[in-house]
Amino acid sequence: MMRKEFTRDGSQALPVWKSALCGVTAGAVAQWLASPADLVKVQVQMEGRRRLMGEPPRVHSAGHAFREIVQRGGVRGLWKGSIPNVQRAALVNLGDLTTYDTIKHLIMDRLQMPDCHTVHVLASVCAGFVAAIMGTPADVVKTRIMNQPTDDKGRGVLYRGSVDCLRQTVAKEGFAALYKGFLPCWIRMAPWSLTFWLSFEQIRKMIGASGY
């Protein structure tokens, strides 16, 4: 929708800053809406690690995690960690959407290639790599904030917010700590980006819309 606002029919290449604005906005809005589900997912996933460490389980299922979060922090508690979550999604989509849009039209213009699967694959590979580079630090911060223990009011006891978590992580573990898990993140982002963009382009073609 934003690309349509910036161009006549949404099919032209956008300047990088406009493409970046579209990516950041789309990622931020989508992730804010999805933050409660993401919080539940993170807490359920961490139970396996807690049990391996011999610690007592905090939640037993997704439904139990949801009830515990609401009981400790109210409905607002479902958005605990939403700020770093939104920041991460904004950065990931900034890298993914902007890179795909820019690289695709760059390849078509410079190499005189048609809008085809080869172009889509090349652009999506680049998009997934850039998204992983931009999103991993925010992903580290988001996970640590979401998984920290909370007090009886649902407030985190280790970090005051995303900036404080970022500062403590760099101060105690160095800048490289922000890229812990980069390889798994890239391994996850690469096939996702490839699958999404190829599917998206094909669906647009099937319904008679212009290429992205």
Side-chain angles (χ1 to χ4, degrees):
M1 290 172 64
M2 292 185 68
R3 288 177 84 250
K4 273 193 172 183
E5 293 297 321
F6 284 132
T7 61
R8 283 175 296 180
D9 60 5
S11 61
Q12 293 87 9
L14 290 175
V16 173
W17 74 268
K18 288 185 178 181
S19 186
L21 179 62
C22 292
V24 167
T25 303
V29 172
Q31 188 57 59
W32 186 84
L33 294 172
S35 280
D38 199 34
L39 177 59
V40 170
K41 180 206 72 171
V42 168
Q43 295 208 359
V44 171
Q45 285 179 330
M46 286 304 297
E47 286 309 303
R49 181 180 177 185
R50 288 177 61 83
R51 289 167 186 169
L52 287 174
M53 295 171 63
E55 298 180 8
R58 293 183 299 186
V59 298
H60 304 286
S61 65
H64 183 227
F66 182 86
R67 291 192 298 271
E68 286 292 308
I69 293 168
V70 174
Q71 185 176 355
R72 290 197 305 267
V75 175
R76 291 182 61 183
L78 292 170
W79 273 268
K80 185 185 81 169
S82 63
I83 293 178
N85 217 0
V86 167
Q87 290 169 342
R88 172 195 170 275
L91 289 171
V92 167
N93 281 274
L94 170 63
D96 188 53
L97 298 176
T98 305
T99 302
Y100 183 85
D101 197 29
T102 303
I103 294 297
K104 175 186 173 181
H105 289 94
L106 187 65
I107 291 174
M108 292 171 63
D109 291 340
R110 297 292 176 85
L111 301 182
Q112 298 298 308
M113 294 182 66
D115 190 355
C116 60
H117 289 317
T118 302
V119 174
H120 302 161
V121 170
L122 293 174
S124 63
V125 168
C126 295
F129 181 69
V130 174
I133 290 176
M134 299 191 69
T136 299
D139 197 37
V140 170
V141 171
K142 178 210 74 166
T143 302
R144 292 189 177 196
I145 288 179
M146 281 188 160
N147 200 51
Q148 68 176 322
T150 57
D151 58 21
D152 55 358
K153 295 183 179 179
R155 295 175 299 193
V157 299
L158 298 178
Y159 311 110
R160 294 190 300 271
S162 57
V163 175
D164 182 52
C165 180
L166 178 67
R167 182 185 59 80
Q168 288 194 46
T169 300
V170 174
K172 296 176 181 178
E173 305 172 49
F175 183 80
L178 297 176
Y179 280 90
K180 285 183 176 180
F182 170 76
L183 186 58
C185 184
W186 185 25
I187 291 174
R188 178 177 67 87
M189 286 297 301
W192 178 88
S193 184
L194 182 64
T195 303
F196 170 78
W197 286 115
L198 287 177
S199 302
F200 184 59
E201 293 277 16
Q202 190 62 31
I203 290 170
R204 291 180 65 88
K205 183 179 179 181
M206 288 171 59
I207 65 176
S210 59
Y212 183 80

